[in-house]
Amino acid sequence: MNNIQLDSQNRLKHFLGIEGLKRDLLIEILDTAASLINVHEKAVKKVPLLRGKMVINLFFEPSTRTRTTFELAAKRLSADVLNFNIDTSSSSKGETLIDMLRNLEAMHCDMFVVRHNASGAAHFMAQHVASHISIINAGDGQHEHPTQAMLDMYTIRQYKSDFTPLRVAIVGDILHSRVARSNIHALTILGASEVRVVGPKTLIPKGIEELGVKVFHDLKRGLCDVDVIIMLRLQRERMQGALLPSAYEYFQYYGLTEKILNVAHPDAIVMHPGPINRGVEIDSTVADGVRSVILQQVSNGIAVRMAVMAMTLSTMESPSLKKEQ
Ligand code: NCD
């Protein structure tokens, strides 16, 4: 499914998902992001890598962090950015995705950043879009959210340097989480020693062990000695039927508190893709505490999205990205 995202020289043409990508490519994304991380410290907070290119943000689902950091990333690369307002768009008037695509192509854009509630939407667009256009998946249904996974990997590498000895626990609503799926693929490809998923039976997909993870239903056991904890929100907008008794009860069993955090490694970091629900999956003392790197993840998201956009659209090889600064 992912081959479509690589060109004939195995360079990124689109960025649709982490599954099936090679370790070297993930490391190249992280290294390119590292070379772009300090652009905001320059007097002019820009590099000219995408000068003269047009990026369209096409968001069919609500988003705060992802959309704004994509916009900021495109602007720091000197691209022109158009935020397509889906509420007032023709999609609400019955226009098909393909017709919308053709019309937007006619505006001479070079890249679409797409968030859609249907799994596979970004992949579908990559198959149908004009050949000079790149598609970046900003989250498709319950499938993948590859730039979130890469900013998570960037943050982990920033604090832990080497992936191979790490035990990582992903906690919460795994069933509906595209972040969980992309992170499981990324951590496995980068060689983390153990990836755990922790949550109630109703929120863990059947057969997930096939992805190489260990399943835990008890939070304390699942967090024992881990180096990294990735907390997830209950994605109620994707739940059909009653999968949980109540938010209050969920917090009693799966909420991350200071007390439970003590079973993890003393240097463990706490991550969350946002938006966080205080008092549901995470206690405020942990979210705002010294081990939380949640806001660092948001900052890192800008450089990681710059890296992915530059690698897919720039005609230069990534070593020259460094020179270009
Ligand atoms: C995530 C998403 O949209 O998949 N958030 C994000 O991109 N920052 C996770 C979520 O919505 O819970």
Side-chain angles (χ1 to χ4, degrees):
M1 168 140 173
N2 284 322
N3 293 348
I4 187 178
Q5 56 190 341
L6 302 177
D7 69 10
S8 55
Q9 284 148 41
N10 281 335
R11 286 181 313 194
L12 269 191
K13 160 83 179 121
H14 307 287
F15 195 45
L16 307 174
I18 304 288
E19 186 179 8
L21 293 180
K22 295 265 187 296
R23 181 181 175 278
D24 285 356
L25 187 61
L26 301 194
I27 296 290
E28 189 185 340
I29 293 172
L30 297 179
D31 290 346
T32 306
S35 77
L36 295 166
I37 199 84
N38 292 327
V39 169
H40 68 278
E41 288 170 6
K42 296 175 22 154
V44 178
K45 298 185 177 69
K46 279 183 190 287
V47 285
L49 291 166
L50 296 192
R51 188 169 48 200
K53 303 281 189 191
M54 175 148 96
V55 175
I56 296 188
N57 273 330
L58 205 52
F59 277 60
F60 294 85
E61 261 189 7
S63 166
T64 315
R65 275 153 295 270
T66 306
R67 201 197 56 71
T68 45
T69 51
F70 263 115
E71 181 176 352
L72 213 50
K75 286 180 170 164
R76 292 216 175 131
L77 292 168
S78 310
D80 294 318
V81 192
L82 211 109
N83 290 308
F84 203 73
N85 187 345
I86 304 301
D87 287 343
T88 56
S89 80
S90 311
S91 78
S92 54
K93 298 180 189 167
E95 189 180 39
T96 67
L97 191 55
I98 294 287
D99 283 332
M100 184 186 286
L101 211 59
R102 294 285 169 259
N103 279 273
L104 294 171
E105 275 174 9
M107 298 175 200
H108 309 294
C109 73
D110 301 284
M111 172 181 285
F112 289 118
V113 176
V114 190
R115 168 168 287 196
H116 202 287
N117 60 4
S119 300
H123 190 265
F124 176 80
M125 287 178 71
Q127 278 175 316
H128 291 93
V129 85
S131 62
H132 69 280
I133 296 179
S134 290
I135 304 285
I136 310 280
N137 182 6
D140 63 326
Q142 297 169 206
H143 178 224
E144 283 232 32
H145 191 351
T147 58
Q148 178 68 45
M150 290 317 295
L151 75 88
D152 289 346
M153 296 309 114
Y154 190 95
T155 309
I156 293 175
R157 192 171 78 160
Q158 182 178 11
Y159 288 92
K160 301 290 173 195
S161 64
D162 184 9
F163 289 96
T164 51
L166 297 182
R167 283 199 189 108
V168 182
I170 307 176
V171 183
D173 182 359
I174 312 293
L175 181 64
H176 300 101
S177 177
R178 51 199 177 203
V179 176
R181 233 165 301 278
S182 288
N183 270 333
I184 290 169
H185 290 306
L187 288 162
T188 312
I189 294 165
L190 291 168
S193 108
E194 195 179 319
V195 183
R196 303 176 181 179
V197 293
V198 186
K201 278 201 176 82
T202 48
L203 295 181
I204 306 263
K206 286 197 180 59
I208 194 156
E209 296 88 344
E210 283 163 28
L211 297 182
V213 300
K214 287 190 185 164
V215 176
F216 291 78
H217 299 300
D218 180 81
L219 182 62
K220 217 169 178 177
R221 288 180 57 197
L223 295 188
C224 194
D225 288 334
V226 297
D227 306 283
V228 177
I229 303 170
I230 301 175
M231 298 304 294
L232 298 173
R233 179 178 69 92
L234 294 173
Q235 293 172 54
R236 294 188 180 278
E237 71 277 16
R238 300 206 173 90
M239 290 185 194
Q240 279 151 6
L243 294 175
L244 288 168
S246 69
Y248 172 79
E249 199 161 347
Y250 181 81
F251 184 71
Q252 304 309 308
Y253 286 99
Y254 293 102
L256 186 61
T257 60
E258 289 282 4
K259 189 164 170 242
I260 299 258
L261 195 49
N262 283 334
V263 303
H265 191 277
D267 292 330
I269 55 170
V270 176
M271 302 172 68
H272 195 308
I276 64 171
N277 287 182
R278 293 170 186 266
V280 181
E281 74 272 7
I282 191 165
D283 194 64
S284 277
T285 53
V286 177
D288 304 327
V290 287
R291 309 222 220 158
S292 166
V293 298
I294 296 172
L295 295 177
Q296 191 59 46
Q297 287 173 265
V298 178
S299 301
N300 291 342
I302 302 167
V304 168
R305 290 182 168 125
M306 286 171 78
V308 169
M309 291 170 126
M311 284 170 66
T312 48
L313 217 51
S314 168
T315 48
M316 285 161 283
E317 304 265 358
S318 39
S320 359
L321 289 176
K322 288 176 191 150
K323 252 192 279 163
E324 190 68 18
Q325 289 180 80

